[in-house]
Amino acid sequence: MVKICCIGAGYVGGPTMAVIALKCPEIEVAVVDISLQRIAQWNSESLPIFEPGLDEVVKACRGRNLFFSSDVEKHVAEADIVFVSVNTPTKTRGLGAGKAADLTYWESAARMIADVSRSDKIVVEKSTVPVKTAEAIEKILTHNNKGINFQILSNPEFLAEGTAIDDLFKPDRVLIGGRETPDGQRAVASLKAVYAHWVPEDRILTTNLWSAELSKLAANAFLAQRISSVNAMSALCEATGADVSEVAFAIGKDSRIGPRFLNSSVGFGGSCFQKDILNLVYICECNGLAEVASYWKQVVHINDYQKNRFVKRVVSSMFNTVSGKKIAVLGFAFKKDTGDTRETPAIDVCNGLLGDKALLSIYDPQVSEEQIRRDLAMNKFDWDHPQHLQPLSPTASSNSVRVVWDAYEATKDAHGICILTEWDEFRKLDFRKIYAAMQKPAFVFDGRNIVNVDELRDIGFIVYSIGKPL
Ligand code: NAD
Ligand code: UGA
């Protein structure tokens, strides 16, 4: 019986291992983490992350061949295959701060694997890492060679939050990179055999280690680039009277461009796009590729521009001041169907409005008040460095923020509404009722282009959507 251990019970480790356990009943899968709280949540009725379909998968195999444990060393020692799915945030200090990936968590996991291993192991990079990380990991694993054979594989994860279970059940591809030696190729075949339980063979791609590592950064850079491209177009649409949805639809009909991932928005968020692009930029700079670095940097730059542009639009539309005005913020998560707020554009938009002394009333169906307050009080990049997080204490703007549990409560007496996450329930709101309870003139700033502009204008709202005629 093959034993798998995954270090890191987060957004990736939890769902990916649950799906492996479900699809491979004869494999024992242990997911381990240094966070006792996270492990306790995985073992409870209320899982630490909200992800459609995840509860069912976990319930089907937890206690059977899926285990969540804080006994990290024991499970690593017993495993044949060790996935490492720890966080790889942006460095906040020292060389490369603000760009380079911080591999502290990865390195400590690798050192622990080296220390506790008594048998041969395949070590799989599941986290997103800079290209060439496997070389450094190999050095750490073999630093006091005890005659153990470690094979390093790169197996980056491409799931998106909110659709993680579907993505894992039916991946566009699974990518496995390994050394081109007989041992390396045997390791690739072993991991391939795991995925082959449910993924068609032609969707399991194998490459060399560096191609696999770089493909992950490249995929995220290309995806984010599409959003920044359409968002850049949205600014031009607003200046010219073109409609960005019509433009996106028209260009998406070209089969070389394709229709997906062209939704203009207040900006992309999430834990990875910005971090991975900055990491790519840093790698290019380190390799003396200044032009390539500056090309990719623009993707992040346009994203920041888009978030700023949105705040400016709100303030300028509301007669150049939002001071003392109540603004309802609908949605705080970085996209629908997740409670994740890492790098959500809502943080920048809310902080921008608070900087102009607005009074915010925030509602998100999946994000807690504590999380929202923590996010608004935090320095950039600190969210993934627990050691930098201070206990939550009142900040200057605490009194300017209310977090409520209903969109109607949030919008009552408000001067304006900012829609920052495309939750389905916001499409079904009774905007007549909302309008009646708001201050006039009543503004809607739709950062996700989900409302029917004509209908809202008929009701009496002043509506601003991204990239649409005013
Ligand atoms: P996460 O923060 O949700 O989970 C990481 C977990 O690792 C945490 O629970 C942390 O406590 C644990 N951890 C850190 N160091 C450890 C150690 N030494 N031993 C045991 N546990 C340790 O992060 P995530 O969102 O799951 O992302 C993990 C990696 O996967 C990142 O590199 C990310 O870029 C990549 N990735 C994320 C997504 C996504 O949608 N979130 C998708 C694809 C790839
Ligand atoms: C993204 C990638 O889609 C995954 O393939 C990848 O595995 C993952 O990053 C990762 O490495 O972490 P994720 O961030 O979970 O997944 O979600 P996306 O659906 O990609 O959305 C990212 C952001 O872009 C969200 O804020 C979303 O609202 C925004 N977006 C997305 C747009 O503004 N427009 C679009 O057309 C699509």
Side-chain angles (χ1 to χ4, degrees), residues 195-232:
Y195 285 108
H197 280 74
W198 78 98
V199 181
E201 190 136 345
D202 60 352
R203 294 200 172 201
I204 308 179
L205 316 182
T206 56
T207 63
N208 77 27
L209 271 172
W210 323 129
S211 304
E213 287 179 338
L214 185 55
S215 297
K216 173 63 198 178
L217 296 179
N220 275 359
F222 271 61
L223 287 167
Q225 175 270 123
R226 272 174 85 88
I227 303 170
S228 279
S229 294
V230 78
N231 282 343

Side-chain angles (χ1 to χ4, degrees), residues 7 10-12 33 38 87-88 108 128 157 161 275 342:
I7 305 177
Y11 284 88
V12 170
D33 203 292
R38 242 186 183 177
N87 32 333
T88 49
S108 88
T128 303
E157 184 48 60
E161 289 176 30
K275 146 178 105 63
R342 294 177 292 178

